[in-house]
Amino acid sequence: MGRSWWPQPVTTQASLMASNWLLFLCAGAVVALIIWGLVAFALLRWRRKRGAATTLPAQLRTNIALEITWTLVPLVLVCILFIYTYRAEAGVEALVPYPDVTVAVNAYRWGWSFGYRGGPTVQGSFSDVPQLVLPRNETTRIILTSSDVNHAFWVPAFLFKRDAIPGRITVFDLRPEKDGTYVGHCAEFCGYAHALMGFSVKVVPPADYARWLKSGPS
Amino acid sequence: MTTARATLARQPRADLLSWITTTDHKRIGILYLTTSLVYFGVAGLLALAIRTQLARPANDFVGVHTYAQLFTLHGTAMIFLFVAPFALGLANFLLPLQIGAPDMAFPRLNATSYWMFLFGGLVIFAGAATNEGAAATGWTAYAPLSEIKISTGLGQDLWIVGVFIVSVATILTSINFITTVFVYRAPGMTMWRIPIFAWEMVATSLLIFMAFPALAADLLLLFVDRNFGGHAFDPAYGGSALLWQHLFWFFGHPEVYVMILPYFGVISEIIPVFSRKPIFGYTGIVLAAFAIAGLSMGVWAHHMFTTGAVDDPFFSFMSFLIAVPTGVKFFDWIATMWGGSISFETPMLFALGFLVNFLLGGITGVMIASPPIDFQAHQSYFIVAHMHYVLGGGSLFAIFAALFFWWPKMFGRKLREGLGAWSFWLLFIGFNVTFLPMHFMGLEGMPRRVYTYDATGVLPLLNAIATAGSYLMAIGVLVFLWNVVVSAFDRTPVGDDPWEANSLEWATTSPPPEYNFDRLPPIRSDRPVFDARHPERDPSAVR
Ligand SMILES: [Cu+2]
């Protein structure tokens, strides 16, 4: 853990999401500390003392200025959070006009197939987990669908998932920036072997990728 | 005064037949509460089985088929048969008393609702007795997974029928509540004097009335697909694999507030009593309830950010906005305690537990309303943590607060304070030990609804901690049950108003007579019982 409790971003898109997360984490921590602090202060300061004379405290019911303040301040706060959210999401979902690599991903009970444009189609199920190979520092377009029920393509290290829905095609771009092998899961419950419906993603230098695409999976 | 009135109150019949045929709102309320608590017990045992399976990776406590049924029935029972119906039961008992009415507007409809609720729940669980077992598609039953091609078992059909029966019962009850509060208030009980709990139930009932028909329609479509050759959710025949989710969450998000607004009401009743002050910002709290209800009708697709098929920014912004009225309530509760004379009886302990836990659930709720965060958190254990902080740390703690607070009114004797504090601390610590680690599981990449997980890394440790916490919670519930048993032998009469409370239910005997009130105190503010206790004060004073 550490790393603000969030995996280290390894794609261009993930960096946007990681900074958005950090903003919300800080805003949430500040709000929590203020509110829990106010509650704790009130409890300590105004707890009923044993044996104290039971006089009725002031029966204050309303204070319009205060109430307007604690309506407007959070309103402004969520508007600010929304602006950052909007920007981050626009960046994450932006599609480049000409992706370097295109892979058609099909999810099914309980496996994945990865069809590379101008290359092989790799397929595997839970007994033989398939691997998606991607070039580093190039943009890969994923074209995602499902052939039976709803699944979801999730690579936790990419901080990203997208549903695979039968009868629908969804498209997104990934631009990995670090070589390595990453774990992927199906994230939408799809039946008994859902927990085992994994895959792996291997990010390699572009030259290795080109070689791999020609020779096919070893 | 108390004893004189107690002799006046005719003792109602107490045999089994009189309970089965009753149309008395108090008895129906107690039936609702008891039934929902039994369903809670069952759903809690299912949760313990889930946590035991997940105590270590690749565990074989239950098989994969059983595991899917476990989390489906756990979620279904907690949501449809416990957290929401408990509020309906509590409102059944309280609403007529709080507004000074002799009963609900439609007593026989009320009894019908209860029996439909009980029966619907039994139908859902009956699936466990069929050959292929109970429904196993989660409480959300996403189509096409729940279609006949994949989920061939009768259990899924029984689930559809059972949930349908419960949803119709809930709609009928909402009509009853709205009519009762609008039409049956006692003289002097103007709308701006009804207790906050009654207001929250009005908002809840409007939400039920708008949202539950979408669920009923969704269930009907699925039933037709499964049994009569329909193709509503089958893309191979021009159906839509997304339609189920739209209809389900059009119901499902308002349902979250159906499970929360009543408990905002409970907290708003309890905090003033144990702070010796009136609720701060009455009007603001009521308006906030309706703001939440209105906004919650326009946020359903925040459950669908990762489909890539909805307008994420719109639903994100609408969801953020809900934080504003919710914040108003939090500030009003703190202001109610501010400058008060705060005591820590068990209902107050649970109410404070609600404040602490629910705040965290609210904050993570704002986080996952941001699509770039939801892209990671969605359908992971982070979501499991978030919703349990809302419904477990929030609603469940308010439920225990309500039980301890209104128990003397329902049964004429208090639950014991010492045991109450024990059950509070066990549940509070157990809850946080169970669910806090789940945030980190989700961010580390553990999907929900899995029966095993990666044996390397931190997941085994976090899961072991969560499982230990769930056992601690179970002990807390057992202490509560023990409290119910031993306090049943207490013979000390509690009197009409053991907590020095504010609202009208505390003006009658404990338990109240069948017709509720021999006579009503004058109602000149939202605190008629407080006014009667302090004749020296002007009821319209705001300081
Ligand atoms: Cu899947």
Side-chain angles (χ1 to χ4, degrees), chain B residues 518-538:
Chain B
D518 287 311
R519 61 186 177 79
L520 285 166
I523 301 161
R524 299 204 186 93
S525 77
D526 62 326
R527 297 192 292 169
V529 174
F530 174 89
D531 296 336
R533 202 164 53 241
H534 293 278
E536 78 283 1
R537 292 182 53 88
D538 172 8

Side-chain angles (χ1 to χ4, degrees), chain A residues 151 186 188 190 194 197:
Chain A
H151 302 270
C186 172
E188 183 64 65
C190 54
H194 164 64
M197 187 175 157

Side-chain angles (χ1 to χ4, degrees), chain A residues 46 48 61 85 89 161 163, chain B residues 281 312 342 370 376 378 526:
Chain A
W46 289 294
R48 201 175 299 163
R61 284 176 159 277
T85 276
E89 183 178 6
K161 71 172 67 67
D163 294 1
Chain B
D312 287 7
I342 303 168
S370 173
Q376 176 77 341
H378 189 63
D526 62 326

Side-chain angles (χ1 to χ4, degrees), chain B residues 5 25-26 90 93-101 189 194-198 265-266 269-270 273 402 405-410 495-499 501-513 516-517 520-521 523 526-530:
Chain B
R5 238 188 296 162
H25 72 97
K26 297 180 291 300
L90 192 64
F93 185 88
L94 284 179
L95 278 189
L97 289 169
Q98 287 199 326
I99 62 168
M189 183 63 78
I194 67 175
I196 302 281
F197 177 77
V266 166
E269 297 288 315
I270 289 174
V273 171
F405 187 61
W406 280 293
W407 196 272
K409 183 51 64 183
M410 290 176 189
D496 296 1
D497 183 17
W499 308 115
N502 299 324
S503 45
L504 213 47
E505 73 268 28
W506 305 102
T508 186
T509 54
S510 309
N516 288 354
F517 296 94
L520 285 166
I523 301 161
D526 62 326
R527 297 192 292 169
V529 174
F530 174 89

